[in-house]
Amino acid sequence: MQEDGQIMGEQNSFIAQSLYERGWVVVDHYVPEPLRVALSQEKRQLLSHGEFRHAGIGKGDSFAIRPEIRSDKVFWMDESDLSQTQAAYWKLMDELRHTINQRCFLGLRSFECHFAIYPPGSFYLRHLDQFQAVKYRVVTVILYLNDDWKEDDGGALRIYLPATDGEESYTDILPESGRLVVFLSGEIPHEVLPTVRERASITGWFRDVAY
Ligand code: OGA
Ligand code: MN
């Protein structure tokens, strides 16, 4: 456990530093293997019990289910009712949040996250993760849960990078199990390309509000 803690600490410092320097970062094998397996198993169970719902866009009055924009399904974790496995992930995210705060001074105060399933054929068009009206989502954190993902399986996360010479560029990130992607929610436009295989993840946001 001591060793796990030390590795997590180093990974978290690396993430915070990269976020500070360029606004996004990818880390492989982020969670300890037993937790990764438990999260995958829990996702499967929730799916088989019909717990996933069509995801929407927007917040409050502007919330809408728009399958022409995003066609994934989600299960929101409830901080007051976490399973043991979910609580273990939440704890890792709290530690990461603290490290980012120390290095980046973003004033991140809380976390929210959901499991997401993209059935074959589904996608999420280009967007930013901050809502137009309420901008409390500051940092996006995605953990993927898919074994042996191949380029032909589609479903890459495409992030668009700030133009240095006027031209926008992009990077495609495959949703391979254990891979963590972290980026600034208000600055990095991104999309999920149409997936061929079912694609699973835990998508979360560090927020600058306490609730
Ligand atoms: C999102 C999102 C990306 C991904 O849920 O807002 O952009 O790779 N997800 O799952
Ligand atoms: Mn997004």
Side-chain angles (χ1 to χ4, degrees):
M1 267 338 270
Q2 180 62 33
E3 269 191 2
D4 268 358
Q6 195 175 340
I7 293 167
M8 297 305 305
E10 284 168 18
Q11 290 192 126
N12 287 350
S13 298
F14 173 72
I15 289 169
Q17 190 63 24
S18 308
L19 204 58
Y20 184 79
E21 284 168 4
R22 59 172 201 180
W24 67 282
V25 62
V26 180
V27 174
D28 283 338
H29 310 293
Y30 182 75
V31 294
E33 187 61 10
L35 178 58
R36 186 190 66 76
V37 170
L39 288 166
S40 281
Q41 207 170 335
E42 188 152 318
K43 176 266 300 178
R44 257 194 309 279
Q45 262 165 18
L46 290 165
L47 197 58
S48 69
H49 290 124
E51 299 282 0
F52 281 79
R53 300 280 175 266
H54 285 288
I57 58 166
K59 191 80 187 161
D61 285 348
S62 64
F63 178 85
I65 292 175
R66 297 277 301 276
E68 72 282 18
I69 295 177
R70 74 181 290 191
S71 42
D72 58 324
K73 294 179 171 187
V74 298
F75 172 85
W76 281 96
M77 289 188 202
D78 174 354
E79 189 175 5
S80 64
D81 186 24
L82 297 172
S83 70
Q84 227 181 355
T85 299
Q86 292 169 15
Y89 186 64
W90 207 280
K91 184 163 174 284
L92 291 185
M93 290 296 106
D94 266 346
E95 286 162 11
L96 175 58
R97 182 167 63 81
H98 285 294
T99 306
I100 293 175
N101 276 340
Q102 283 164 7
R103 185 94 33 137
C104 306
F105 312 105
L106 288 171
L108 307 174
R109 300 173 70 191
S110 62
F111 180 62
E112 61 179 351
C113 75
H114 58 54
F115 283 96
I117 295 286
Y118 287 72
S122 58
F123 54 84
Y124 192 162
L125 297 184
R126 178 175 170 145
H127 64 281
L128 281 173
D129 281 348
Q130 273 187 355
F131 300 117
Q132 267 162 13
V134 278
K135 304 200 181 293
Y136 52 67
R137 286 178 172 174
V138 179
V139 174
T140 303
V141 191
I142 309 171
L143 177 73
Y144 294 110
L145 298 172
N146 310 287
D147 292 328
D148 302 317
W149 199 269
K150 307 280 187 305
E151 227 171 287
D152 288 349
D153 294 328
L157 170 67
R158 175 167 292 179
I159 61 171
Y160 293 89
L161 301 172
T164 40
D165 56 359
E167 292 265 318
E168 187 179 61
S169 66
Y170 63 75
T171 297
D172 286 351
I173 299 160
L174 298 186
E176 179 65 26
S177 210
R179 178 168 288 167
L180 192 83
V181 181
V182 184
F183 57 84
L184 295 175
S185 309
E187 290 182 23
I188 308 275
H190 56 281
E191 69 181 304
V192 178
L193 301 178
T195 188
V196 176
R197 257 175 76 184
E198 180 178 280
R199 174 193 194 273
S201 60
I202 300 175
T203 304
W205 295 273
F206 294 132
R207 320 181 318 169
D208 63 4
V209 290
Y211 47 87

